[in-house]
Amino acid sequence: MKKLENKIAVITGATSGMALATAKLFVEQGAYVFITGRRQKELDEAAAFIGSNVTGVVCDSSNLKDLDYLFETIKNKKGSIDILYASAGIFEFAPIGQITEDHFDKQFNTNTKGTLFTVQKALPLFNDHGSIIMTGSIAALKGDAYTSVYSATKATLSVFAKCWTSDLKSRGIRVNVIHPGPIDTAIWSNLNEEQKEGYISKVPLGRVGKPQEIASTALFLASDDSSYITGTSISVDGGTGQV
């Protein structure tokens, strides 16, 4: 039997990279998946890549009205949710001394506020004993230059996981965070070779990660394989944040 047979999953920010790989794997493992993105064209391309048992919904996670529309669509089409993977996020560099209000607000609105309200607005549709997963970052555990705002948005998610585990314990809903390290996504592709070599030099396993390695971790956290795991953060980073 497939690990997510007859499950309903929602994955935000799933038009590319780690979240798209996760959506495809979830469908392969028996789930029906709702994916979100901010542009229809990319959503259509992602849905075509996944192939079947998928609905794309245009949604900016920082916009609460968009989130209302997302969950109303899910309610009308499927009625309930078993798995939520809140993965929508943005990343910008800025050193202290050059941080603007826009730089701060943009990242906190999507990465932190957006994640919180995505989870909160999903709860009325959530089946008991479901799984909530959030995409953090190895930056939440490190002190790299120019990343203080982004790192803070992602560190907050680990606190959310701990508190929401207590909030939701009566319903048996598990809440966990994945902290990816350097992963071969569009962001990675935009780095120059010197930057790539610098990041890889910090990875004990000596290579960049693959989106499928995040997807397989998300599958573990979404399935009954992780039935006794909640309130924790799992680093998928080749050891970067551990040594």
Side-chain angles (χ1 to χ4, degrees):
M1 183 175 178
K2 296 179 179 179
K3 292 187 176 183
L4 301 182
E5 196 73 48
N6 299 319
K7 300 293 186 182
I8 306 301
V10 181
I11 305 178
T12 63
T15 55
S16 65
M18 300 178 290
L20 177 56
T22 300
K24 186 171 179 61
L25 181 59
F26 279 15
V27 168
E28 290 170 354
Q29 287 296 319
Y32 190 98
V33 179
F34 290 86
I35 60 172
T36 76
R38 291 182 288 179
R39 290 171 290 275
Q40 188 67 55
K41 180 177 181 292
E42 284 83 351
L43 267 175
D44 292 343
E45 291 171 350
F49 173 74
I50 294 166
S52 63
N53 292 325
V54 59
T55 295
V57 181
V58 175
C59 177
D60 179 345
S61 294
S62 68
N63 186 315
L64 303 194
K65 290 183 179 179
D66 280 8
L67 291 173
D68 287 337
Y69 175 73
L70 168 64
F71 291 112
E72 186 65 23
T73 300
I74 295 167
K75 179 180 179 181
N76 292 337
K77 191 173 180 70
K78 289 294 183 179
S80 64
I81 298 168
D82 300 291
I83 302 154
L84 171 63
Y85 184 12
S87 188
I90 59 174
F91 175 50
E92 293 182 350
F93 286 108
I96 188 66
Q98 297 180 24
I99 293 171
T100 65
E101 185 176 13
D102 180 67
H103 171 83
F104 181 95
D105 287 347
K106 188 185 298 184
Q107 292 186 91
F108 265 93
N109 283 345
T110 298
N111 300 354
T112 310
K113 186 186 84 172
T115 298
L116 186 156
F117 284 101
T118 297
V119 172
Q120 182 163 285
K121 288 176 179 293
L123 288 178
L125 299 180
F126 234 94
N127 290 321
D128 289 353
H129 308 292
S131 175
I132 295 169
I133 308 162
M134 296 176 278
T135 294
S137 170
I138 194 62
L141 309 177
K142 305 288 283 184
D144 291 334
Y146 304 163
T147 66
S148 58
V149 173
Y150 174 76
S151 299
T153 68
K154 294 300 189 176
T156 303
L157 303 187
S158 293
V159 178
F160 283 171
K162 294 177 185 296
C163 294
W164 296 345
T165 292
S166 296
D167 288 343
L168 299 172
K169 63 183 180 182
S170 65
R171 298 185 58 188
I173 296 174
R174 299 180 294 106
V175 189
N176 295 289
V177 180
I178 298 172
H179 285 317
I183 305 295
D184 190 4
T185 63
I187 293 175
W188 178 260
S189 298
N190 289 332
L191 299 177
N192 61 44
E193 289 306 311
E194 183 179 354
Q195 289 172 319
K196 290 179 180 179
E197 290 174 5
Y199 279 113
I200 291 175
S201 70
K202 300 176 183 178
V203 181
L205 290 184
R207 65 173 177 84
V208 65
K210 302 173 184 177
Q212 292 77 11
E213 291 174 306
I214 302 300
S216 62
T217 305
L219 175 62
F220 169 70
L221 292 174
S223 72
D224 289 341
D225 289 345
S226 61
S227 58
Y228 202 49
I229 298 176
T230 190
T232 192
S233 299
I234 297 178
S235 296
V236 186
D237 61 358
T240 307
Q242 322 313 314
V243 299

